[in-house]
């Protein structure tokens, strides 16, 4: 009888742990979206993400920019202009620089073979407003050393995305 009780308790504890892990994963999921970039590369026109209504709640969110690049990307960093617009009002507009490669030339993103994905912090602990639409605009502002005019088409960036995760 004791052996049955111990096995039953172990089973219940195991079910409880699995339920707890699954519910924690569910809470962290959030929202992510990507847009593929053509072979010409990432241009200077903004890529626009409209945030769906199901992402809204009163929880604080962390917002990330996601970039996928391949070996055709010839820079060790990237400059992005990222803005958040609510309705017709621009709430924030940031010029950001992210490292894409280490000093020895290895890509910093995750992945194997030629494609690497970088998950880049943008905003921490944000509460998204109820007003609609909410849009995130992302454009690149990379320049080659010594050249005033920016790079028109940034080859090697194959997709741009965002993710919004519960804190």
């Amino acid at each position: 009888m004791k052996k049955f009780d111990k096995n039953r308790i172990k089973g219940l504890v195991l079910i409880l742990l699995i339920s707890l892990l699954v519910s924690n994963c569910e809470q962290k999921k959030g929202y992510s979206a990507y847009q593929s970039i053509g072979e010409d590369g990432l241009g200077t026109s903004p890529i626009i993400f409209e945030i769906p209504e199901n992402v809204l709640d009163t929880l604080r969110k962390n917002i990330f920019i996601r970039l996928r690049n391949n070996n055709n990307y010839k820079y060790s960093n990237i400059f992005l202009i990222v803005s958040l617009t609510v309705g017709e009002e621009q709430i924030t507009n940031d010029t950001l620089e992210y490292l894409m490669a280490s000093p020895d030339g290895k890509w910093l993103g995750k992945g194997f073979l030629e494609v690497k994905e970088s998950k880049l912090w943008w905003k921490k602990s944000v509460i998204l407003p109820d007003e609609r639409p909410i849009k995130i605009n992302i454009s690149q502002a990379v320049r080659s050393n010594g050249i005033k005019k920016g790079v028109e088409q940034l080859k090697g960036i194959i997709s741009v995305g965002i993710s919004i995760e519960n804190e």
Side-chain angles (χ1 to χ4, degrees):
M1 194 78 154
K2 285 185 179 182
K3 192 172 191 177
F4 175 74
D5 290 338
K6 284 183 181 179
N7 285 339
R8 188 173 183 188
I9 290 171
K10 284 181 185 178
L12 290 173
V13 168
L14 183 62
I15 290 171
L16 180 64
L17 285 173
I18 291 172
S19 300
L20 189 61
L21 286 172
V22 168
S23 69
N24 279 344
C25 291
E26 295 283 325
Q27 289 176 346
K28 290 284 185 186
K29 267 188 174 174
Y31 168 78
S32 64
Y34 290 87
Q35 291 188 28
S36 294
I37 307 299
E39 286 185 27
D40 290 340
L42 180 60
T44 54
S45 298
I47 295 176
I48 301 168
F49 295 93
E50 188 165 338
I51 310 305
E53 291 201 29
N54 65 347
V55 178
L56 290 180
D57 54 34
T58 58
L59 298 175
R60 293 189 178 275
K61 308 287 185 187
N62 295 323
I63 305 175
F64 299 90
I65 299 164
R66 294 180 173 262
L67 297 177
R68 291 183 183 140
N69 67 287
N70 62 26
N71 290 333
N72 293 330
Y73 189 71
K74 63 181 185 176
Y75 301 94
S76 63
N77 62 352
I78 190 165
F79 287 88
L80 299 173
I81 299 170
V82 185
S83 65
L84 177 70
T85 305
V86 177
E88 297 296 318
E89 182 182 356
Q90 187 176 60
I91 303 299
T92 185
N93 188 38
D94 298 314
T95 302
L96 309 166
E97 178 184 14
Y98 296 105
L99 287 177
M100 298 293 286
S102 63
D104 65 358
K106 290 185 182 175
W107 295 120
L108 296 177
K110 292 184 178 182
F112 57 95
L113 299 175
E114 187 177 328
V115 176
K116 301 293 181 196
E117 179 173 7
S118 298
K119 182 179 178 181
L120 311 167
W121 274 98
W122 179 39
K123 295 288 182 190
K124 183 176 181 169
S125 196
V126 173
I127 296 178
L128 295 171
D130 290 333
E131 190 178 339
R132 289 280 157 218
I134 296 177
K135 295 181 183 178
I136 295 175
N137 300 322
I138 302 173
S139 59
Q140 63 91 359
V142 173
R143 294 184 183 156
S144 296
N145 285 339
I147 300 174
K148 211 174 200 179
K149 187 177 181 194
V151 175
E152 294 287 328
Q153 297 297 129
L154 199 54
K155 293 184 188 272
I157 300 295
I158 59 174
S159 68
V160 175
I162 59 163
S163 62
I164 300 173
E165 302 172 6
N166 292 344
E167 214 175 24

